[in-house]
C-alpha cells in the first residue's frame, strides 16, 4: 500500500528479503484466521470495538427518540430496560476498553521498538474472545433476552426471583467470558512493556502512552477479579441456588455492591487512563515539544492507578455505613483529583510553551480538555456526601458520567483515529471533513448532555422509559434529543472520513506530523516486522534525536537486525539493557480454536447444557496442552546430563 | 563490615541504582501476573466470606451447623504444603540438567496432590450430609471457596502431569530450557499458599471467636 | 561513590529504591483496609473496644503507623534524589541514574500524596465519633 518507504541503508537487501520471508503473511483465508501480527490484531480490535460502539450508539438514539416527548410510547418499558442496560454495558465493556486496547495493541510494540507483543498467540486469542463475548451479549437483544437491570446489575433486583429469564445470565456469563480477553491482553501489555523495549529505552525514556497502557493493565489485573468473582457468585445464586446475596439465608445484597465498585471505580480510570495517554502522545506532534513535566505525568498516572482502588465506597454514599469509614474514603476521593489536575496543567503548559499546529487531532484534544474538565467539576461535587445524596439516581448523574466518559474516552479516541490513521492505513484523511466532524460532534455532545444537568436537578430520575410533563422536563429533553442527532451526524462524518481516506486518501509518508515516538521512524503502514533494524534509543524522543535515528540507518548492527526467522530482542526491565534474542511464534489456528471452545462452553452454560459444557472444557484444556507443548530439541541444545 | 559501613554501602548511588528486578524471562512475568490476578480473585472470595460472616452476626457457622472439624484439614495441609518441596527440588535438578530429578520430583508432587484431592472428597462426603451449597450462605461460601481451590489443585495437577509426560518423552527440558518447569512451579506454590489462607480463614478463625 | 558495593548491599539498595517509590502506597492500603474494617466490624458488633484497646486508639494506630512508614519512604525517596543529582558519564550509568532519578521524583510526590490522605483520615478520626451513622 505505501509508496514512500523509510530510508533503510541499515539493513541490506538480503536482510530485508529474509525478514519478509520470516514475518510476511501471504493473504489467504487461513492466514486471516491464524494471524498473530499485532498490527492486524490491533486493527481488528479497533474495527470490532467501533462496531459495538455503533450498536450501543443506535440503542442510545432509540432511547433519546423515545424521551423526546413526555408520555411517549415508542418503546415498551421492557425494551427500554434492555436498551439502556445494553447501551451502558456495551459502551463500557465492549467499546471503551477494547478500543483503547486496540490502539495499545497496534502501537505499544511500535512505540517501544519491538517486532510484536510478548505473547502474540495469546494476543490473537484475546481478540477472538473479545469478538465472541461481544457477539454473545448482543445476540441476546433480538430475542428480547438482553440484560435489563442496568449496567451495574444491583441485587436484589437481579436475583432469580426478581429478574427471571436469561437476561442476567447473559450479563454475568458474557462479562466473565470477556474478562478472559481483558486479562490476557493486560498481562501481554505488561510483559511486552517490561521486556521488549528497544535497547537503551530505560524507564525514563518510555513514551507516556506506554506508561498509560501499563498502568491501565495493572489496574485490570487487580480490579477485574472483583467483577469476575461478583458475576460468578451472581450466576451461582441465580442458577444453582446458592445464597451469597440472599439476606433470607445469611447472604447480603451489599456484597454485590462492594465487589462491583471495587472493580467499578478503577474501571472509570481503566477507561480514561489510556485515553489520557493518547492525549500525551498527540500533543508533542502538534505543539512541537515534549509534554511538560514528564516525571510528574508518570507520577500522576501511577497515583491514579493506585488511589482508584481506595475510593469505591463513594458510589454507595446512599447506603448507610459509619461516617468515619466514609471519611477514610472521602479523603481518597478528594485527593485523587490532584493528580488528574496535574496532568491537565501539564498539557496546558505544553500548549502554552509550544507552537500550536491546529490540525483535527489537536481539535479533539482541546475538545477533550474542555469536556473532561466540566465532567471533573461535577465529579468533585459528588465528593460532598450531602450533595451526592441529593442527586443520586437523577439525570444529573447521567450528565456527569457522559461528560467524563465522552470527554475522557471518546474525544481522545477520535483524536487518536485521526492522528494514527496515516500510520495504520498508510493514507491521509481529509482535513476539512475532519473539522466538520469535530464541530458537529462537539456541539452535539454539549447540546445533548448539558441539559441533563438541569432536568436532573429539576428532579427527573434516570432509567425511566417515559416521564410525565413536569415543569422544565419536556423542553430540555427535546433539546437533548436534538443534540444527540447532531452528535450522530458528527460521528457519521468521522466514519465517512475514514472510508474516504482508505479509498481515496493521499499516501502517507512515514512521519506526516513530525512525531517524537518510534512508530514515526518506520513505514506507514509498517512492514510485518515493524523495524528492519531495531533502534538503539538515546532519549525520550527518539524520532527527534539524531543518534537514535541513525542507529536504524548508518549505525545499524547485525545484532539489531536479526533477519533469521522471527526474532526480537529482550531487554532488562528497568534500564533496557540488551539481554537476549527471543523467538516469536508462527501464525496458528490454535487461538481461534481455543476461543471457539470457550464460546461453546459459555453458550452451553447459558442454556444449561452441562454435558456439552464439560466437553468444551476438555477441548479447552487439550488445546492449551498442545499449544504449550515443548518442541523436541537435541539433548546438547537442552543441556541434559 | 560494621553496620554503618553496610548502610553506607547500601545507600550509595551504585547500590541504590541497582537494577532490580532484571533478567527475568517473558514467561516468568506472564505467570507472575497471572498468579497476581488469580490471587486477587481468591482475596475477593475470602473477603466476601468475612464480609458475610461479620454482617451476619450471631453464631458462626449459623443455623446450628457444627464448627468445621480440624483433624482432616490439618492432614490436608500436611499433605499439600510440603508438596512444594519436591517441585523445588525437581526444578533445581533440571537447572543442572538432571532429568531424573525432574521426573522423580514431579511424580512425588503428583502423588501428594492427588492425596489432597482424595481427602477433599472424603471431607465433602461427610459435610454434605450436614449441609450443602444451598443450605445457607455459609454453605455456599464453604463449598464455593474450597471447591474453587480444589479446582485449582486439579488444574495444577494437570499441569504437573503434562510436564511429567513431556519430560518422560525426552528432548523437552534441560539446563538451558526449563521455563515451563519454572512457571508450573510458581503456579503450584501459589495454590499451596492459597490453601494456607483458606485453612486459616475457613477452619481456624471460626474456632477463635 | 567510587566504592563498589557487594551483592548484599546491592540487594538492599535495590529494595530501598522500591520502598522509596511504593512504600507510601502500600502503607496507605494497609491504613485504609485496617481502619475501615476495624471501624465497620467493631461498630456492627455494637462494641467500642478492640481486644484491650478502645476503638479510637485502635483506629488511631491504623493511622499513625502507616503515616510513619510513609514518612520513612518519603525520606528514602529524598535520599535517592540526592544520590542521583549528578549524572555520570557513559551510556549505561547515565540511563541507570536517570531512571533512578525519575523514580525518585515519582516517589517523592507519591509519598507526599499518600501522607496527605492518611493525615486527612486522621483528622476525620479526631472530629467524628467512630460509630456515628
Ligand atoms: C454517543 C452518544 C451517547 C448518547 C446519546 C447516550 C445516551 C444515553 C442515554 C439516553 C442513557 C440512558 C439514561 C437513562 O435512561 O437512565 C445513557 C446511559 C448510559 N450511558 Fe450513554 N450515551 C452516549 C454515549 C455513551 C458513551 C460513550 C458511554 C461510555 C463510554 C456511555 C455510557 C453510558 C452508561 C454507563 C449509561 C448507564 C446505563 C445504565 O443506567 O445502566 N454512553 N446514555
Ligand atoms: Cu468512582
Amino acid at each position: 500500500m505505501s509508496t514512500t518507504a523509510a530510508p533503510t541503508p541499515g539493513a541490506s537487501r538480503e536482510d530485508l528479503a529474509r525478514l519478509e520471508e520470516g514475518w510476511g503473511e501471504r493473504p489467504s483465508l487461513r492466514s486471516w484466521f491464524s494471524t498473530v501480527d499485532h498490527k492486524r490484531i490491533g486493527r481488528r480490535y479497533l474495527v470490532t470495538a467501533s462496531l459495538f460502539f455503533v450498536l450501543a450508539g443506535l440503542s442510545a438514539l432509540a432511547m433519546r427518540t423515545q424521551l423526546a416527548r413526555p408520555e411517549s410510547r415508542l418503546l415498551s418499558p421492557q425494551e427500554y430496560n434492555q436498551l439502556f442496560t445494553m447501551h451502558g454495558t456495551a459502551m463500557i465493556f465492549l467499546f471503551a476498553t477494547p478500543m483503547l486496547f486496540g490502539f495499545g495493541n497496534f502501537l505499544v510494540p511500535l512505540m517501544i521498538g519491538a517486532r510484536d507483543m510478548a505473547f502474540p498467540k495469546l494476543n490473537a486469542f484475546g481478540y477472538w474472545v473479545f469478538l465472541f463475548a461481544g457477539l454473545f451479549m448482543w445476540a441476546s437483544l433480538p430475542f428480547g433476552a438482553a440484560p435489563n437491570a442496568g449496567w451495574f446489575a444491583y441485587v436484589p433486583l437481579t436475583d432469580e426471583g426478581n429478574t427471571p429469564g436469561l437476561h442476567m445470565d447473559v450479563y454475568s456469563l458474557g462479562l466473565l467470558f470477556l474478562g478472559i480477553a481483558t486479562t490476557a491482553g493486560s498481562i501481554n501489555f505488561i510483559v511486552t512493556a517490561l521486556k521488549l523495549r528497544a535497547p537503551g529505552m530505560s524507564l525514563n525514556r518510555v513514551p507516556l502512552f506506554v506508561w498509560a497502557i501499563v498502568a491501565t493493565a495493572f489496574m485490570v489485573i487487580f480490579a477485574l477479579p472483583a467483577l469476575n468473582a461478583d458475576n460468578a457468585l451472581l450466576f451461582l445464586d441465580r442458577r444453582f441456588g446458592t445464597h451469597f446475596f440472599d439476606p433470607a439465608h445469611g447472604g447480603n445484597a451489599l456484597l454485590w455492591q462492594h465487589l462491583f465498585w471495587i472493580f467499578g471505580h478503577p474501571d472509570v480510570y481503566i477507561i480514561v487512563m489510556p485515553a489520557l495517554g493518547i492525549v500525551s502522545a498527540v500533543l508533542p506532534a502538534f505543539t512541537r515539544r515534549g509534554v511538560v513535566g514528564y516525571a510528574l505525568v508518570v507520577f500522576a498516572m501511577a497515583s491514579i492507578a493506585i488511589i482508584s482502588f481506595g475510593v469505591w465506597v463513594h458510589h454507595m454514599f446512599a447506603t448507610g455505613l459509619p461516617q468515619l469509614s466514609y471519611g477514610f474514603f472521602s479523603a481518597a476521593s478528594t485527593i485523587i483529583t490532584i493528580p488528574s489536575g496535574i496532568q491537565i496543567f501539564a498539557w496546558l503548559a505544553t500548549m502554552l510553551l509550544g507552537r500550536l499546529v491546529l490540525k483535527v487531532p489537536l481539535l479533539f484534544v482541546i475538545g477533550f480538555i474542555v469536556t473532561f474538565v466540566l465532567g471533573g467539576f461535577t465529579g468533585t461535587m459528588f465528593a460532598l456526601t450531602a450533595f451526592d445524596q441529593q442527586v443520586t439516581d437523577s439525570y444529573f448523574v447521567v450528565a456527569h458520567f457522559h461528560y467524563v466518559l465522552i470527554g475522557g474516552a471518546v474525544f481522545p479516541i477520535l483524536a487518536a483515529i485521526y492522528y494514527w490513521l496515516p500510520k495504520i492505513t498508510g493514507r491521509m484523511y481529509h482535513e476539512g471533513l475532519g473539522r466538520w466532524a469535530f464541530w458537529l460532534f462537539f456541539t452535539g455532545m454539549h447540546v445533548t448532555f448539558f441539559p441533563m444537568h438541569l432536568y436532573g436537578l429539576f428532579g427527573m430520575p434516570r432509567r425511566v422509559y417515559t416521564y410525565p410533563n413536569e415543569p422544565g422536563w419536556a423542553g430540555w429533553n427535546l433539546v437533548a434529543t436534538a443534540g444527540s442527532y447532531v452528535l450522530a451526524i458528527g460521528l457519521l462524518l468521522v466514519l465517512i472520513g475514514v472510508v474516504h481516506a482508505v479509498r481515496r486518501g493521499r499516501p502517507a509518508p512515514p512521519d506526516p506530523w513530525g512525531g517524537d515516538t518510534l512508530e514515526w521512524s518506520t513505514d506507514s503502514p509498517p512492514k510485518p516486522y515493524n523495524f528492519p533494524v531495531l533502534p538503539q534509543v538515546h532519549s525520550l524522543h527518539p524520532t527527534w534525536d539524531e543518534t537514535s535515528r541513525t542507529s536504524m540507518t548508518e549505525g545499524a548492527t547485525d545484532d539489531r537486525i536479526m533477519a533469521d526467522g522471527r526474532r526480537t530482542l529482550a531487554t532488562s526491565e528497568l534500564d533496557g539493557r540488551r539481554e537476549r534474542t527471543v523467538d516469536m511464534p508462527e501464525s496458528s489456528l490454535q487461538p481461534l480454536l481455543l476461543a471457539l471452545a470457550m464460546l461453546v462452553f459459555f453458550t452451553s452454560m447459558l442454556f444449561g447444557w452441562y454435558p456439552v459444557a464439560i466437553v468444551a472444557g476438555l477441548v479447552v484444556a487439550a488445546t492449551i496442552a498442545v499449544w504449550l507443548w515443548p518442541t523436541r530439541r537435541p539433548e546438547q541444545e537442552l543441556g541434559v546430563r | 563490615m560494621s553496620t554503618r559501613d553496610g548502610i553506607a554501602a547500601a545507600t550509595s548511588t551504585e547500590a541504590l541504582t541497582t537494577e532490580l528486578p532484571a533478567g527475568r524471562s517473558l514467561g516468568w512475568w506472564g505467570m507472575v501476573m497471572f498468579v497476581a490476578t488469580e490471587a486477587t480473585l481468591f482475596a475477593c472470595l475470602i473477603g466476601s466470606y468475612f464480609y458475610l460472616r461479620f454482617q451476619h452476626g450471631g453464631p458462626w457457622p449459623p443455623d446450628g451447623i457444627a464448627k468445621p472439624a480440624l483433624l482432616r484439614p490439618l492432614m490436608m495441609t500436611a499433605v499439600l504444603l510440603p508438596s512444594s518441596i519436591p517441585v523445588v527440588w525437581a526444578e533445581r535438578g533440571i537447572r543442572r540438567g538432571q532429568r531424573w530429578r525432574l521426573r522423580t520430583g514431579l511424580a512425588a508432587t503428583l502423588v501428594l496432590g492427588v492425596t489432597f484431592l482424595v481427602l477433599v472428597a472424603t471431607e465433602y462426603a461427610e459435610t454434605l450430609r450436614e449441609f450443602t451449597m444451598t443450605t445457607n450462605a455459609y454453605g455456599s461460601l464453604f463449598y464455593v471457596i474450597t471447591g474453587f481451590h480444589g479446582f485449582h489443585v486439579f488444574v495444577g495437577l494437570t499441569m504437573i502431569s503434562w510436564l511429567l509426560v513431556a519430560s518422560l518423552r525426552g528432548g523437552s527440558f534441560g539446563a538451558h530450557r526449563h521455563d515451563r518447569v519454572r512457571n508450573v512451579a510458581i503456579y503450584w506454590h501459589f495454590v499451596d499458599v492459597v490453601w494456607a489462607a483458606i485453612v486459616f480463614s475457613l477452619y481456624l478463625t471460626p474456632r477463635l471467636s | 561513590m567510587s566504592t563498589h558495593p557487594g551483592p548484599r548491599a546491592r540487594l538492599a539498595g535495590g529494595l530501598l529504591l522500591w520502598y522509596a517509590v511504593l512504600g507510601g502506597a502500600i502503607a496507605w492500603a494497609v491504613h485504609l483496609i485496617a481502619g475501615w474494617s476495624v471501624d465497620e466490624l467493631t461498630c456492627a458488633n455494637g462494641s467500642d473496644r478492640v481486644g484491650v484497646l478502645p476503638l479510637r486508639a485502635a483506629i488511631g494506630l491504623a493511622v499513625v503507623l502507616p503515616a510513619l512508614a510513609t514518612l520513612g519512604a518519603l525520606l528514602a525517596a529524598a535520599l535517592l534524589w540526592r544520590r542521583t543529582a549528578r549524572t555520570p558519564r557513559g551510556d549505561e550509568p547515565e540511563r541507570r541514574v536517570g531512571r533512578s532519578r525519575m523514580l525518585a521524583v515519582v516517589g517523592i510526590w507519591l509519598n507526599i500524596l499518600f501522607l496527605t490522605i492518611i493525615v486527612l483520615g486522621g483528622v476525620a478520626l479526631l472530629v467524628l465519633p467512630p460509630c456515628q451513622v
Side-chain angles (χ1 to χ4, degrees):
Chain A
M1 273 221 295
S2 87
T3 50
T4 43
T8 50
S12 67
R13 215 169 267 286
E14 299 87 79
D15 288 336
L16 291 180
R18 276 186 297 162
L19 279 169
E20 187 61 46
E21 187 188 311
W23 292 85
E25 291 173 332
R26 244 172 283 113
S28 71
L29 194 63
R30 189 195 149 92
S31 102
W32 201 87
F33 286 113
S34 68
T35 184
V36 293
D37 180 342
H38 74 98
K39 297 178 290 299
R40 289 180 83 177
I41 295 170
R43 282 202 308 258
R44 285 176 191 184
Y45 260 105
L46 295 175
V47 171
T48 312
S50 306
L51 176 78
F52 293 143
F53 178 69
V54 169
L55 293 178
L58 291 176
S59 313
L61 277 189
M63 291 189 286
R64 278 316 326 163
T65 311
Q66 159 86 352
L67 295 174
R69 304 300 312 149
E71 312 284 0
S72 162
R73 291 285 181 275
L74 281 171
L75 296 169
S76 70
Q78 290 76 20
E79 283 162 351
Y80 191 88
N81 287 350
Q82 297 184 28
L83 282 178
F84 79 68
T85 304
M86 274 314 280
H87 165 78
T89 311
M91 283 292 188
I92 299 275
F93 295 104
L94 298 175
F95 160 64
T97 299
M99 190 82 186
L100 294 161
F101 271 32
F103 282 113
N105 250 306
F106 191 93
L107 291 167
V108 166
L110 287 168
M111 283 188 169
I112 63 174
R115 287 197 170 137
D116 207 319
M117 298 281 281
F119 308 113
K121 280 165 81 175
L122 186 69
N123 202 25
F125 164 71
Y127 168 73
W128 293 118
V129 169
F130 156 57
L131 173 70
F132 295 156
L135 295 178
F136 178 91
M137 296 186 80
W138 276 111
S140 63
L141 191 62
F143 297 100
N148 57 357
W151 79 280
F152 43 70
Y154 278 2
V155 284
L157 175 61
T158 47
D159 64 27
E160 181 62 24
N162 292 317
T163 309
L166 289 182
H167 308 272
M168 293 320 289
D169 300 328
V170 172
Y171 176 91
S172 58
L173 290 175
L175 291 188
L176 281 169
F177 190 16
L178 179 68
I180 297 172
T182 319
T183 307
S186 301
I187 294 178
N188 219 340
F189 281 133
I190 293 175
V191 182
T192 308
L194 273 177
K195 291 304 298 182
L196 296 189
R197 305 196 307 275
M201 191 180 275
S202 46
L203 286 190
N204 53 331
R205 295 176 184 168
V206 173
L208 286 169
F209 178 77
V210 177
W211 274 108
I213 291 280
V214 170
T216 309
F218 269 105
M219 283 194 277
V220 169
I221 296 277
F222 293 110
L224 205 58
L227 179 73
N228 288 339
D230 222 6
N231 274 314
L233 300 186
L234 178 66
F235 183 70
L236 286 170
D237 262 16
R238 290 174 54 85
R239 186 63 69 81
F240 297 110
T242 56
H243 302 288
F244 293 102
F245 305 122
D246 169 13
H249 291 86
N252 193 314
L254 279 188
L255 176 61
W256 169 271
Q257 296 197 28
H258 274 297
L259 284 173
F260 190 89
W261 288 115
I262 288 175
F263 156 78
H265 192 90
D267 192 51
V268 175
Y269 292 98
I270 287 172
I271 291 172
V272 171
M273 177 91 65
L276 305 188
I278 290 176
V279 176
S280 295
V282 170
L283 273 183
F286 297 101
T287 56
R288 315 304 313 143
R289 57 156 299 139
V291 171
V292 173
Y294 172 80
L296 278 180
V297 177
V298 174
F299 147 73
M301 293 197 265
S303 56
I304 290 176
I306 299 166
I307 303 177
S308 64
F309 283 88
V311 297
W312 79 87
V313 175
H314 75 192
H315 290 273
M316 310 194 330
F317 279 143
T319 51
L321 304 168
Q323 291 273 340
L324 181 58
S325 298
Y326 280 150
F328 293 143
F329 290 96
S330 271
S333 305
T334 323
I335 295 291
I336 200 170
T337 52
I338 294 177
S340 314
I342 289 181
Q343 290 199 61
I344 302 263
F345 284 114
W347 295 321
L348 290 180
T350 311
M351 296 208 275
L352 281 180
L353 296 177
R355 262 190 300 119
L356 290 194
V357 183
L358 218 57
K359 293 258 169 62
V360 176
L362 188 63
L363 282 180
F364 276 102
V365 166
I366 295 171
F368 145 77
I369 293 181
V370 172
T371 314
F372 190 66
V373 166
L374 284 170
F377 178 70
T378 45
T380 53
M381 294 162 75
F382 291 125
L384 306 171
T385 316
F387 181 79
D388 185 78
Q389 296 195 341
Q390 277 305 309
V391 296
T392 258
D393 277 335
S394 80
Y395 257 93
F396 191 88
V397 178
V398 177
H400 158 68
F401 66 67
H402 281 94
Y403 266 78
V404 171
L405 290 170
I406 295 186
V410 181
F411 273 101
I413 284 172
L414 292 172
I417 290 178
Y418 284 101
Y419 182 59
W420 280 297
L421 197 71
K423 186 53 63 185
I424 297 175
T425 64
R427 302 287 167 153
M428 300 302 289
Y429 62 83
H430 189 285
E431 190 72 27
L433 203 58
R435 278 170 200 274
W436 270 100
F438 168 76
W439 285 111
L440 284 172
F441 181 74
F442 183 83
T443 319
M445 142 80 209
H446 286 271
V447 175
T448 310
F449 292 103
F450 193 81
M452 293 190 188
H453 290 114
L454 304 177
Y455 59 80
L457 287 176
F458 300 154
M460 175 154 166
R462 65 190 282 202
R463 294 177 171 169
V464 288
Y465 83 108
T466 190
Y467 52 94
N469 195 0
E470 300 275 339
W473 290 15
W476 285 120
N477 262 296
L478 189 60
V479 173
T481 301
S484 65
Y485 279 93
V486 177
L487 181 164
I489 295 174
L491 287 172
L492 194 64
L493 284 191
V494 175
L495 182 66
I496 293 176
V498 170
V499 173
H500 174 266
V502 172
R503 290 272 176 83
R504 301 247 155 79
R506 271 186 302 117
D511 185 10
W513 315 121
D516 65 328
T517 36
L518 281 171
E519 80 271 29
W520 305 113
S521 283
T522 191
D523 291 357
S524 301
K527 291 281 191 305
Y529 43 85
N530 290 357
F531 300 91
V533 185
L534 293 187
Q536 170 81 39
V537 175
H538 293 274
S539 75
L540 176 56
H541 310 288
T543 302
W544 286 350
D545 112 64
E546 190 61 34
T547 24
S548 304
R549 247 181 318 150
T550 47
S551 75
M552 286 176 272
T553 51
E554 290 87 31
T557 49
D558 270 341
D559 61 356
R560 284 186 284 111
I561 297 178
M562 302 176 297
D564 292 314
R566 296 161 75 90
R567 288 150 126 202
T568 193
L569 262 184
T571 53
S572 66
E573 284 80 349
L574 307 184
D575 290 344
R577 274 182 295 110
R578 181 196 175 83
E579 279 177 352
R580 55 185 166 267
T581 54
V582 280
D583 289 305
M584 293 307 225
E586 306 275 329
S587 61
S588 158
L589 287 174
Q590 286 160 359
L592 176 61
L593 183 66
L594 185 58
L596 274 174
M598 289 187 170
L599 176 64
V600 173
F601 175 82
F602 281 99
T603 312
S604 36
M605 287 306 280
L606 178 68
F607 292 114
W609 308 327
Y610 303 118
V612 184
I614 291 174
V615 174
L618 292 177
V619 176
V620 167
T623 316
I624 298 177
V626 174
W627 176 331
L628 292 173
W629 190 247
T631 41
R632 203 172 199 144
R633 288 166 206 275
E635 310 261 294
Q636 247 106 353
E637 190 192 324
L638 291 169
V640 187
R641 271 201 278 166
Chain B
M1 197 162 59
S2 73
T3 330
R4 266 190 72 183
D5 290 344
I7 293 179
T11 54
S12 66
T13 306
E14 276 281 313
L16 282 172
T17 58
T18 305
E19 201 179 1
L20 177 88
R24 303 291 183 180
S25 70
L26 275 63
W28 187 88
W29 279 109
M31 185 47 104
V32 166
M33 287 300 141
F34 178 64
V35 162
T37 187
E38 285 253 282
T40 317
L41 190 58
F42 274 104
C44 291
L45 289 176
I46 292 179
S48 305
Y49 170 85
F50 282 111
Y51 184 78
L52 290 185
R53 171 170 162 188
F54 289 119
Q55 291 291 323
H56 181 267
W60 188 264
D63 303 343
I65 296 175
K67 288 192 196 253
L70 276 191
L71 182 63
R72 194 179 281 106
L74 290 182
M75 272 165 61
M76 288 153 78
T77 316
V79 171
L80 195 62
L81 291 196
S83 72
S84 268
I85 298 170
V87 178
V88 173
W89 181 75
E91 193 200 325
R92 294 236 171 112
I94 194 64
R95 274 202 231 169
R96 299 200 202 119
Q98 296 164 316
R99 241 173 4 200
W100 65 275
R101 271 177 67 174
L102 177 65
R103 292 170 183 165
T104 334
L106 290 177
T109 305
L110 198 61
V111 172
L112 290 171
V114 171
T115 315
F116 175 85
L117 285 186
V118 171
L119 286 172
V120 172
T122 59
E123 181 185 34
Y124 279 2
E126 229 162 77
T127 49
L128 277 176
R129 262 181 272 141
E130 195 184 357
F131 62 98
T132 70
M133 192 166 85
T134 54
T135 306
N136 54 24
Y138 174 77
S140 311
L141 285 164
F142 179 83
Y143 288 107
V144 167
I145 294 177
T146 56
F148 193 54
H149 175 262
F151 176 70
H152 276 71
V153 174
F154 177 74
V155 170
L157 287 177
T158 316
M159 292 184 186
I160 286 181
S161 327
W162 176 88
L163 274 187
L164 191 59
V165 174
S167 76
L168 288 175
R169 176 194 69 170
S172 305
F173 310 114
H176 310 308
R177 298 253 164 200
H178 49 255
D179 250 24
R180 287 174 172 79
V181 180
R182 183 83 200 257
N183 291 341
V184 170
I186 294 175
Y187 187 82
W188 189 257
H189 301 327
F190 157 71
V191 169
D192 276 7
V193 173
V194 170
W195 176 249
I198 291 180
V199 169
F200 175 76
S201 325
L202 266 65
Y203 293 93
L204 293 182
T205 59
R207 303 206 156 246
L208 293 180
S209 58
Chain C
M1 317 294 133
S2 53
T3 51
H4 282 286
R8 286 190 46 202
R10 283 186 170 280
L11 178 65
L15 290 176
L16 195 60
L17 175 131
W18 286 112
Y19 171 59
V21 179
L22 294 177
I26 295 169
W28 167 73
V30 171
H31 150 78
L32 192 70
I33 294 177
W36 170 58
S37 55
V38 167
D39 184 36
E40 189 96 23
L41 294 177
T42 317
C43 297
N45 280 345
S47 150
D48 61 351
R49 300 189 81 79
V50 184
V52 288
L53 282 179
L55 176 56
R56 256 227 153 113
I59 302 180
L61 277 184
V63 173
V64 173
L65 294 182
L68 289 178
T70 310
L71 201 61
L74 181 59
L75 294 178
L79 176 77
L80 181 65
W81 194 65
R82 284 188 45 186
R83 289 280 194 273
T84 48
R86 253 175 312 152
T87 321
R89 288 176 174 282
D91 192 46
E92 227 243 72
E94 186 195 319
R95 265 187 279 146
R96 200 153 43 80
V97 172
R99 171 267 297 174
S100 307
R101 189 168 184 75
M102 185 201 80
L103 289 178
V105 175
V106 171
I108 287 175
W109 288 106
L110 278 179
N111 290 316
I112 292 179
L113 197 77
F114 285 115
L115 194 59
T116 317
I117 302 183
I118 297 175
V119 168
L120 282 180
V123 173
L125 179 65
L126 290 181
V127 298
L128 291 171
C131 286
Q132 190 186 76
V133 180

